[in-house]
Structures are given as C-alpha cells and as structure tokens.
C-alpha cells in the first residue's frame, strides 16, 4: 500500500485554480524528489495540502489508505504528528541552542525525563551530523542549521514522512551534496518517506525515486515517474509540443 496517495486533487484560492486533477502516490521508504515545476507554480501550496495546512478544493490525500481531510480532528492530529517538516527559511529559535531547539517539542509531546531527553537530543543531532554542536546558537552555526532546522519539529517522535521545501537554498555546493547524502541516509536507516520541493535538478536526480512535474500554463501535472526518465520525457515533450496539451503522462511508460 502506498504511504501517500493523492487522488483528483484540485488546489484553489476561492475561484482561482492553481492546480487541478493531480494524481500520484509515494511508496514507504521512497523519495519523491520534487514537485518540480515551472517558476511561480504552486509547489509549496501543494506541500501545505499534503501536511494538513490547506484543505483541497477537491480530491483526497490519503496516508496508508486513510483520508487526511475526511478524518475526525483527533485522527487528523494523530496523522500529522507523524510528519516532519523542513521550512525553507528555517524554523529554529535564534535565542536557543541547537539542543534546546530539538528538546522543545520533546518536552511538549513526550513524557521523557530530563536525562532521557538529553540522550534523545544527542542521538538526533548525531543522526544529522551535528554531534558536539549542542551548545551552538543558530546564527553562529548557519551551515549546521541547514540540517538542524529540519529536525526540531520532527524529533518529537520518529516521523514516517518528511516534507522539505528548497532544502539546498543558500547552501554552498559541498553542503548541498552533504544534505542530499543525509536525506538518503535517513531514508535508508529509518525507512522514511520523503517529499522534497526543489528547483535543483542535480539534487532531484541524485536523491529521487519518483518525481512529479507541475505546469503553470495547463494548471496540472504533465508527467510523473523516475526523475531520470522524467527529465528525458520532458525534453522530448517540449520538442514535440506535448508540454502544452494539458495531458497527464506517466514518464515511466513513454517510449
């Protein structure tokens, strides 16, 4: 069973439709490397629909076969506690150390003792390559925060789904590659499902098992499939004029 299933999803603000008739699924332990699209298309808006911040105008978002938006509020809250979200501009309190940032949701959502909490914080920071940086303040450790900001919220538990938007933004090439390696390591070690919004084609091809291309002109998805095949398909589609026909394509089945 897919971990995440999107069925006939339409996103709109009032009468303004941003994207329509979106259909795709993500398997457990799979990275949807991007909701990769033309500039200005509503990729982050789609992410908000997936994590329960915006209700679809139409359609369903399912987690392990259970509807996120049709579920009772207590069930929806339970599902959302399985999400880990990396915000584009960071989500760390600048007045708190990295350890205090990670510990904050642990104190809110768990019954761990102070000693247990310290052990968990050390483990979680080590998992993202930040061992020994517990006392660092975010502005003094900007490079490290590219990893840490992803995990403050998620570490209230061990999420089954991670959502990231432009995680390589403002990173140098070496740090960007390390972040890609980190996502692959976390996927492999935790079996987590990962959804990444990115404009970085190199990252998309490095980490992605699956990809979706959203189009601004047609307001729907043009292709879905393995990113390497997807890139080849999109190049052929543009050359042949298929990119403007409004049709949805499965890139893994095109010849």
């Amino acid at each position: 069973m897919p971990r995440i299933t999107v069925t006939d999803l339409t996103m709109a603000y009032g009468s303004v439709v941003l994207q329509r008739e979106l259909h795709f699924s993500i398997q457990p332990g799979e990275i949807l490397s991007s909701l990769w699209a033309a500039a200005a298309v509503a990729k982050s808006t789609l992410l908000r629909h997936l994590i329960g911040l915006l209700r679809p105008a139409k359609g369903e978002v399912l987690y392990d076969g259970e509807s996120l938006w049709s579920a009772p509020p207590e069930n929806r809250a339970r599902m959302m506690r399985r999400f880990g979200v990396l915000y584009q501009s960071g989500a760390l309190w600048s007045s708190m150390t990295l350890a205090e940032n990670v510990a904050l949701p642990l104190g809110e959502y768990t019954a761990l003792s102070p000693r247990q909490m310290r052990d968990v914080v050390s483990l979680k920071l080590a998992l993202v390559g930040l061992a020994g940086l517990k006392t660092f303040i975010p502005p003094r450790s900007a490079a490290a925060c590219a990893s840490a900001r992803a995990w403050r919220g998620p570490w209230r538990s061990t999420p089954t789904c991670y959502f990231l938007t432009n995680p390589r933004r403002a990173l140098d090439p070496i740090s960007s590659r390390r972040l890609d390696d980190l996502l692959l390591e976390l996927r492999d070690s935790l079996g987590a499902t990962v959804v990444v919004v990115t404009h970085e084609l190199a990252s998309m091809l490095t980490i992605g098992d699956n990809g979706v291309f959203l189009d601004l002109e047609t307001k729907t998805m043009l292709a879905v499939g393995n990113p390497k095949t997807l890139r080849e398909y999109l190049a052929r589609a543009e050359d042949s004029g298929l990119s403007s026909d409004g049709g949805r394509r499965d890139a893994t089945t095109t010849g």
Side-chain angles (χ1 to χ4, degrees):
M1 177 184 294
R3 178 57 45 82
I4 305 172
T5 303
V6 173
T7 304
D8 197 26
L9 182 70
T10 293
M11 305 184 300
Y13 289 103
S15 61
V16 180
V17 174
L18 302 181
Q19 291 283 292
R20 56 181 173 79
E21 299 174 1
L22 304 184
H23 299 264
F24 60 89
S25 61
I26 312 169
Q27 299 297 324
E30 184 177 72
I31 295 180
L32 182 76
S33 63
S34 61
L35 308 170
W36 193 62
V41 79
K43 302 176 304 301
S44 295
T45 301
L46 177 52
L47 204 66
R48 295 187 185 101
H49 283 75
L50 295 181
I51 64 176
L53 297 182
L54 286 177
R55 181 178 292 275
K58 179 184 177 184
E60 289 282 0
V61 178
L62 308 177
Y63 285 89
D64 297 320
E66 184 178 3
S67 172
L68 177 65
W69 289 105
S70 298
E74 59 273 16
N75 289 359
R76 187 181 310 130
R78 170 181 52 79
M79 285 189 276
M80 292 173 65
R81 283 195 290 271
R82 297 159 50 195
F83 302 163
V85 182
L86 165 60
Y87 298 96
Q88 178 173 316
S89 299
L92 295 175
W93 297 102
S94 60
S95 61
M96 302 169 65
T97 67
L98 295 181
E100 289 169 340
N101 269 278
V102 176
L104 180 62
L106 293 174
E108 292 290 329
Y109 291 96
T110 74
L112 296 177
S113 68
R115 180 173 181 176
Q116 290 172 321
M117 200 176 300
R118 287 193 297 269
D119 290 342
V120 171
V121 167
S122 296
L123 172 62
K124 302 305 185 181
L125 289 176
L127 281 173
V128 294
L130 299 178
L133 301 181
K134 292 187 292 185
T135 60
F136 275 45
I137 299 293
R140 295 168 48 197
S141 51
C145 288
S147 296
R149 68 188 184 197
W151 316 119
R152 187 197 72 174
W155 290 143
R156 59 176 173 252
S157 60
T158 300
T160 57
C161 300
Y162 293 93
F163 301 89
L164 304 90
T165 175
N166 292 329
R168 292 167 43 138
R169 179 176 178 267
L171 294 181
D172 61 79
I174 294 176
S175 296
S176 295
R177 181 55 186 266
R178 287 176 176 171
L179 183 57
D180 285 344
D181 291 342
L182 172 63
L183 291 175
L184 291 171
E185 181 180 344
L186 290 172
R187 178 202 64 183
D188 294 340
S189 61
L190 300 177
T193 300
V194 183
V195 178
V196 182
V197 171
T198 181
H199 288 298
E200 298 282 348
L201 181 58
S203 177
M204 177 182 182
L205 296 173
T206 297
I207 66 176
D209 305 303
N210 196 358
V212 175
F213 188 90
L214 306 178
D215 182 63
L216 178 62
E217 181 179 354
T218 61
K219 297 184 179 180
T220 191
M221 55 193 294
L222 293 182
V224 57
N226 182 281
K228 295 180 178 63
T229 306
L230 191 62
R231 181 178 65 170
E232 296 168 1
Y233 163 74
L234 291 171
R236 295 198 305 271
E238 184 175 0
D239 291 342
S240 63
L242 292 177
S243 61
S244 61
D245 68 0
R248 180 169 57 89
R249 303 285 191 264
D250 184 340
T252 62
T253 63
T254 56

